């Protein structure tokens, strides 16, 4: 299957600072990437859909000014958590769709665990 | 509203038994169906996908799809303790994001 990487795998930051998470498709070009958040023992929550070269589409209740998404190339999407607070501590996971796959499956990155102190 | 329903479990089966995981979906326009496995603290991993009615087998895993009943299932034969994880059912319509169920937690008891 297709490979998606994320960086960093974990990050600790102080309240009020910003954190950038990178999501890369390593062996395919992803026109669409997705960002999810998962709190402990809870289900995946879709935050936004990131389309290369255009603005991201945010799910209801997700603050677009707080969670900045940039999909500048076919292999890279970034999520920046601005002015992070402890309640933003979570597991952030990206996924990418391989358009050549033909079945619309999504491949997930390994996730980034964010802890805001 | 597109919804995917799964029993949250936990579903406990003895080692060597067949584990049966079920999923229903609300959108009749859905065309592709996926099963992901997620270990605690890890991201989901794609196990299988199915898009035609009937069964699809891959090793110890069999996915079953019944579009008339809007029902997808995953059978795991010869269950192993290493199969203990949360299994996520996901449904797709073209060009949209996958819609995930909340997952079923499977526990295989040695």
């Amino acid at each position: 299957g297709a490979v998606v990487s994320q960086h960093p795998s974990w990050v600790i930051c102080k309240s009020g600072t910003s954190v950038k998470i990178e999501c890369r498709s390593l062996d395919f070009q992803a026109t669409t990437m997705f960002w999810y958040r998962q709190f402990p023992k809870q289900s995946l929550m879709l935050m936004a859909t990131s389309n290369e070269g255009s603005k991201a589409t945010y799910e209801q209740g997700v603050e677009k000014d707080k969670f900045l998404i940039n999909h500048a190339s076919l292999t890279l999407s970034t999520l920046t958590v601005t002015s992070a607070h402890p309640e933003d501590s979570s597991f952030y996971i990206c996924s990418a769709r391989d358009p050549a796959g033909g079945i619309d499956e999504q491949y997930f990155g390994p996730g980034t665990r964010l802890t805001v102190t | 509203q597109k919804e995917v329903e799964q029993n949250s479990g936990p579903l406990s089966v003895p080692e060597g038994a067949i584990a049966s995981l079920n999923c229903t979906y609300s959108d009749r326009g859905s065309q592709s169906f996926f099963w992901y496995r997620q270990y605690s603290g890890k991201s989901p991993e794609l196990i299988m996908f199915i898009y035609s009615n009937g069964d699809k087998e891959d090793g110890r895993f069999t996915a079953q799809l019944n579009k008339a009943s809007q029902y997808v299932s995953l059978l795991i034969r010869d269950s192993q303790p290493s199969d203990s994880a949360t299994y996520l059912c996901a449904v797709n319509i073209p060009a949209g994001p996958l819609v995930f169920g909340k997952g079923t937690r499977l526990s295989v008891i040695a």
Side-chain angles (χ1 to χ4, degrees):
Chain A
V3 180
V4 177
S5 71
Q6 269 184 256
H7 178 80
S9 55
W10 60 270
V11 57
I12 301 173
C13 71
K14 292 188 176 180
S15 187
T17 61
S18 295
V19 173
K20 180 186 283 188
I21 302 170
E22 293 185 348
C23 176
R24 293 181 185 273
S25 56
L26 297 185
D27 52 0
F28 66 100
Q29 293 185 325
T31 53
T32 305
M33 292 184 172
F34 305 92
W35 287 96
Y36 294 83
R37 179 168 56 180
Q38 187 174 38
F39 293 106
K41 299 190 185 302
Q42 294 191 23
S43 58
L44 287 171
M45 188 194 83
L46 178 65
M47 299 176 68
T49 300
S50 170
N51 296 299
E52 187 268 338
S54 64
K55 291 184 178 181
T57 303
Y58 290 82
E59 295 300 301
Q60 193 172 8
V62 178
E63 301 174 59
K64 63 178 71 174
D65 294 330
K66 180 171 181 63
F67 298 99
L68 301 179
I69 291 172
N70 185 287
H71 194 154
S73 78
L74 286 171
T75 59
L76 173 64
S77 175
T78 60
L79 167 68
T80 301
V81 183
T82 63
S83 187
H85 288 97
E87 57 265 31
D88 297 323
S89 298
S90 188
F91 191 41
Y92 291 86
I93 316 172
C94 73
S95 72
R97 174 172 287 156
D98 181 359
I103 299 292
D104 286 341
E105 66 267 38
Q106 290 176 211
Y107 295 94
F108 283 87
T112 296
R113 193 163 301 282
L114 170 63
T115 302
V116 184
T117 61
Chain B
Q1 173 125 5
K2 307 175 187 63
E3 292 183 348
V4 178
E5 299 287 341
Q6 294 182 256
N7 188 319
S8 62
L11 171 66
S12 295
V13 300
E15 183 176 359
I18 296 175
S20 178
L21 304 159
N22 304 315
C23 171
T24 58
Y25 60 95
S26 62
D27 189 338
R28 285 194 173 274
S30 304
Q31 297 188 0
S32 308
F33 307 87
F34 305 84
W35 283 100
Y36 286 83
R37 176 176 61 199
Q38 186 176 24
Y39 291 112
S40 181
K42 302 294 185 182
S43 67
E45 170 193 13
L46 180 64
I47 299 176
M48 290 190 71
F49 62 84
I50 186 169
Y51 54 91
S52 297
N53 276 327
D55 295 0
K56 179 181 179 182
E57 188 175 315
D58 184 0
R60 295 186 296 114
F61 300 97
T62 299
Q64 300 175 316
L65 173 62
N66 183 324
K67 289 187 178 180
S69 300
Q70 296 175 243
Y71 176 91
V72 193
S73 66
L74 179 70
L75 300 178
I76 306 175
R77 288 182 299 282
D78 188 24
S79 296
Q80 301 297 310
S82 58
D83 295 327
S84 298
T86 296
Y87 289 80
L88 303 170
C89 172
V91 172
N92 191 44
I93 56 174
L98 290 179
V99 179
F100 283 86
K102 294 186 184 302
T104 298
R105 191 156 51 94
L106 172 67
S107 178
V108 180
I109 311 300

